[in-house]
Amino acid sequence: MDRSGTEDTHRAGPYTLLARERTVGGGELFAARADDGRLATVRIVEAGHAAVPGVRDRLRAAVAAARTLSGDFLVPLVDADADAPAPWLATRFTAGLSLRQAVDRHGPLTEPALRLLAGGLARALATLHAAGTVHGEVGPDSVLVTMDGPRIDVLGVPGATGGPPPAPTDDMSALGWTVLFAASGDDEDTGALPASLREVIDGCLYPEPVDRPTAEQLVDYLEDQNLPAPRGPWLPPAVTADLAAAAAAVGALAASGDRGPAPPPPARAAGTGVSRRNLVVLLAGGAVLAGGGAAALAISGGSSPSPARGAGGAGTPAPSGPPPGAPATSAPSASASSADGPEPIVLAGPDAAPAWSRAGKYAPTSLEATDEVIMVVGRKSTSFLATATGKRAFDALNTRDELGANMGRHPTAHADGVFYLLCDTPDQFGLLVAFDAARGKVKWAVNLAAGDPGGGGIVSRYSKNYVAVAGKTVYVCGQVRDVDGKYSADEPTTGYIRAFDAATGKVRWEVKGTDINNVLVPSSGSHLLAASAVPAKKPGHVRMIDAARKGARGWKKPVPHASFYFTTGWPLTCYADGLFLFAGGAGDTLFAVDAATGEEKWQRPFEARNGDQVRIGVPFPSVDGRTVHVPVGSDLVALATADGTARWVARLDGASDTGGANLFNASLRLGGRHAQCSADTVFATDSANTLWAIDGATGRARWKYTDDSQPDVGFLWTVGGDRVLIASHMTMTAIAARRS
């Protein structure tokens, strides 16, 4: 390969080329590290293609357009130089394998995976085509498979394949051949396509371009089929194992500075896949990507507002380190400093002895508990156990939930002795059910589709991400999309809140909008906090929703760079003692504002001594609201809610289950319940498969419970009264909260 014109044979602009990944069209792809430490994928355009008349002009135009584009299935452009002697493009580093590698090594994809592949590529191309650009290089070598679905770069190299400039219909033909390859390997046998895809993929392969579907039509076609999404990881375990191995190999190069070729991924036995959670932990751990050890974190002294670090305004500095949405590249840990806060306490405690353990027939998908009863939701039924003994408390219900609790979804809640569940039955879909945990009876059930403002006809689709309850009101939150609307990943999603009477299930009010991407529902009071959906390169905000005024909008606070922090699904904010708390600045500062007025009460910045960027995780409050806990990498910091004063810092030691630094799962900002509190104990899971019980007053460990056989999604657990209830596959275990 000719790389003349770069600073040296191992560099392209500010990027050091670490390892060659693969060849795509008119260039070679390298894992690379920027001078500021960030990883990227750099593509060097081959000299022969760069010399073709018109290619550089088209490349400049494509780069200009690509800088404005982003989407769920697109890898964004972060840098480029079309005028260099050897033109190069840098995209955000994405851990994945090429589709060709995945299929060649492990065989064709299953039908659910093929549908996700086709839908993801169609959504990515819909974004590009709506912006007037064409990719031109969709194929098994350019498509990445990742733990979250397929990805393609936001642009191909114009003219790399020769001939006239490609058209959108060429992209659709390439999509068809790509899905066909994933279904049949190199046989290109359309009979290998599942029935649900055969018609539309055949259409993509029509010889006449005008007869091919558009990307938007393909998206609508798949959605109109209304088939269930894949259960659990979309990729086979062997593929996920290769993903983790490849990420580890590149991470090791990034840390060492080695410029040699990347070694092939080590062989893995079938069935030894790594979950998305573990892959994120791998990429976030210690020296894997940062090129250094764990960061020393300083809790900056003083909690008064600072114009340079405010939640909004022009004075907020631009973030450094990983781009928005990327996991942290280090595992920050607090260092001792009289000015910065209390001496950190390294967690160490005895192994907990279970109070009881029971095996069930099915693996639960989600859990919820009162002081007396555990609701165990499964794919076949919902059962109820006594927290004290694990024995059956009530007859099971025929309600079920296929998707369960995950990073962006939590279908259960409880308050005042009543369970609330988003579920289905054999003959009804989309139910909200209230179950009296004291009497063992269903109080009411509501078909959520009946609340669709479209009346008799379906005009919108409502996803149901989570249910929450406060006082006498139950809230269902999620996203809404018009059936006949146009899809664009550049546009913010529209979220909604539906409020139901907790006693009867009757709808009280509903609001929706792009300023409602996820919603925090405090356990008391009438003020909710909504985080906005953030389109590409635009700031986000949080705003108060006044439940007492039927969802009227209240105060609003800008949060620059919020796309990093506010993701669809589970809220990444918290409420404590009359205050809303959320991350602002560059994701490194906790802000506390009055829930009713929006007045800022205090802010607490976190800084890393070694220069690594700090990203705080999901804050969570104590039961009495007087303390808010902030996970930051390997540290859990307890702050006084009243003024942000640090009370204690608990620190994890050792390595995670993937070999990187051990981190609190709540610090990874994955959403969901990775930490909870009882009256006097803080419970939190880490990336070494351990659940910690931490004294809420001192920060010292009371006990730990490690389960190496837990499911890939991590601990499924909840707190009920004075017990912690843990599901691991088909076994339910209870541990006394204060038992050591």
Side-chain angles (χ1 to χ4, degrees):
M1 184 194 72
D2 181 3
R3 279 174 283 165
S4 60
T6 55
E7 287 83 347
D8 59 51
T9 57
H10 298 292
R11 288 183 64 82
Y15 296 91
T16 298
L17 306 181
L18 301 174
R20 182 183 178 278
E21 294 184 341
R22 63 192 187 280
T23 299
V24 175
E28 291 192 81
L29 272 61
F30 292 82
R33 183 181 59 230
D35 291 342
D36 61 7
R38 288 177 295 171
L39 281 187
T41 298
V42 171
R43 176 172 178 171
I44 308 294
V45 180
E46 291 184 357
H49 292 296
V52 173
V55 164
R56 286 184 185 267
D57 291 338
R58 284 164 23 201
L59 182 58
R60 292 187 196 98
V63 166
R67 292 186 188 277
T68 67
L69 297 176
S70 66
D72 290 339
F73 299 97
L74 289 169
V75 181
L77 183 75
V78 295
D79 204 353
D81 188 351
D83 296 310
W88 55 268
L89 312 169
T91 54
R92 187 176 69 194
F93 178 77
T94 302
L97 296 174
S98 74
L99 178 64
R100 184 177 301 280
Q101 289 174 315
V103 173
D104 285 350
R105 294 175 185 175
H106 306 292
L109 301 184
T110 62
E111 178 178 0
L114 289 170
R115 290 177 56 81
L116 196 152
L117 172 69
L121 294 180
R123 289 178 182 273
L125 292 177
T127 299
L128 298 181
H129 296 170
T133 64
V134 178
H135 192 277
E137 288 189 323
V138 176
D141 294 304
S142 63
V143 172
L144 280 179
V145 292
T146 76
M147 294 301 293
D148 288 329
R151 297 290 188 274
I152 57 173
D153 287 349
V154 77
L155 81 165
V157 175
T161 57
T169 51
D170 296 318
D171 277 347
M172 297 309 296
S173 176
L175 183 153
W177 287 114
T178 301
V179 175
L180 182 58
F181 170 83
S184 65
D186 285 323
D187 293 338
E188 297 184 353
D189 177 11
T190 57
L193 291 167
S196 64
L197 287 173
R198 189 169 300 139
E199 180 182 26
V200 73
I201 296 302
D202 278 347
C204 293
L205 301 177
Y206 284 158
E208 293 298 327
V210 70
D211 294 329
R212 298 168 192 162
T214 65
E216 287 186 351
Q217 287 171 336
L218 177 50
V219 172
D220 290 339
Y221 178 92
L222 295 175
E223 287 194 348
D224 288 342
Q225 290 179 325
N226 199 30
L227 295 178
R231 301 177 184 177
W234 77 292
L235 294 170
V239 179
T240 60
D242 271 4
L243 287 174
V250 173
L253 286 173
S256 68
D258 185 359
R259 295 175 176 178
R268 295 289 189 101
T272 59
V274 179
S275 68
R276 179 188 186 279
R277 177 189 67 84
N278 285 345
L279 185 60
V280 172
V281 169
L282 173 70
L283 295 177
V288 172
L289 296 185
L297 177 74
I299 309 170
S300 300
S303 56
S304 59
S306 169
R309 304 190 67 86
T316 304
S320 59
T329 58
S330 61
S333 57
S335 57
S337 170
S338 59
D340 294 335
E343 185 81 16
I345 301 166
V346 177
L347 290 176
D351 292 328
W356 54 259
S357 186
R358 296 281 185 273
K361 295 182 179 179
Y362 307 105
T365 60
S366 55
L367 302 174
E368 196 70 48
T370 67
D371 290 356
E372 306 294 334
V373 178
I374 319 158
M375 179 172 66
V376 183
V377 183
R379 293 186 173 91
K380 300 292 185 180
S381 64
T382 300
S383 57
F384 301 89
L385 308 177
T387 59
T389 63
K391 296 181 179 180
R392 189 178 71 173
F394 308 117
D395 290 339
L397 299 178
N398 67 344
T399 58
R400 58 183 184 238
D401 182 62
E402 295 281 352
L403 298 177
N406 54 44
M407 290 176 291
R409 187 175 185 272
H410 204 89
T412 62
H414 85 274
D416 299 325
V418 178
F419 290 120
Y420 300 92
L421 172 64
L422 297 172
C423 61
D424 302 320
T425 65
D427 56 356
Q428 292 192 73
F429 295 90
L431 297 179
L432 171 61
V433 176
F435 183 88
D436 190 323
R439 298 187 300 116
K441 302 292 183 181
V442 173
K443 292 183 61 178
W444 49 260
V446 174
N447 190 318
L448 295 177
D452 192 318
I458 298 177
V459 299
S460 301
R461 289 191 178 93
Y462 284 71
S463 69
K464 292 165 279 291
N465 288 5
Y466 50 95
V467 60
V469 58
K472 299 180 179 180
T473 305
V474 182
Y475 301 91
V476 175
C477 306
Q479 276 65 51
V480 58
R481 182 184 174 195
D482 294 338
V483 172
D484 297 328
K486 299 292 185 180
Y487 172 81
S488 173
D490 286 330
E491 296 299 321
T493 56
T494 297
Y496 73 89
I497 308 170
R498 283 180 177 169
F500 299 85
D501 187 297
T504 65
K506 292 182 178 180
V507 177
R508 287 183 167 176
W509 51 265
E510 175 182 319
V511 294
K512 63 181 180 179
T514 58
D515 56 345
I516 302 172
N517 195 43
N518 58 55
V519 183
L520 174 68
V521 179
S523 58
S524 61
S526 62
H527 302 117
L528 316 182
L529 185 67
S532 68
V534 183
K537 300 184 183 298
K538 293 185 179 180
H541 60 260
V542 294
R543 75 178 312 151
M544 185 264 281
I545 303 292
D546 193 339
R549 298 173 55 208
K550 295 186 176 181
R553 267 69 165 180
W555 53 262
K556 181 170 70 173
K557 293 282 186 182
V559 184
H561 320 302
S563 58
F564 146 77
Y565 199 74
F566 297 100
T567 56
T568 298
W570 189 262
L572 305 180
T573 53
C574 84
Y575 171 89
D577 201 22
L579 302 178
F580 284 130
L581 300 106
F582 55 89
D588 57 358
T589 303
L590 186 70
F591 289 86
V593 302
D594 185 277
T597 66
E599 176 188 359
E600 183 179 314
K601 296 299 184 181
W602 53 265
Q603 61 176 261
R604 171 67 65 177
F606 294 81
E607 299 174 353
R609 294 185 182 278
N610 65 356
D612 286 348
Q613 182 156 2
V614 170
R615 302 287 201 186
I616 69 176
V618 184
F620 59 98
S622 59
V623 173
D624 62 13
R626 297 178 181 177
T627 305
V628 60
H629 307 92
V630 187
V632 189
S634 298
D635 284 352
L636 183 65
V637 183
L639 304 177
T641 304
D643 59 7
T645 302
R647 290 178 168 169
W648 50 258
V649 178
R651 174 175 297 170
L652 295 171
D653 195 12
S656 71
D657 60 351
T658 58
N662 192 11
L663 311 175
F664 282 104
N665 287 332
S667 73
L668 297 174
R669 303 170 304 281
L670 300 181
R673 296 181 177 177
H674 297 301
Q676 299 179 59
C677 293
S678 68
D680 60 357
T681 308
V682 179
F683 304 98
T685 58
D686 67 18
S687 55
N689 298 336
T690 299
L691 171 67
W692 292 91
I694 303 170
D695 188 303
T698 66
R700 299 185 181 280
R702 287 183 169 150
W703 51 259
K704 67 180 186 293
Y705 179 78
T706 302
D707 181 5
D708 291 327
S709 66
Q710 64 171 284
D712 276 351
V713 294
F715 278 107
L716 183 62
W717 62 286
T718 191
V719 177
D722 61 353
R723 284 179 172 81
V724 181
L725 298 315
I726 304 166
S728 179
H729 296 286
M730 292 183 290
T731 300
M732 181 73 64
T733 300
I735 301 174
R738 296 184 62 89
R739 183 172 182 175
S740 60

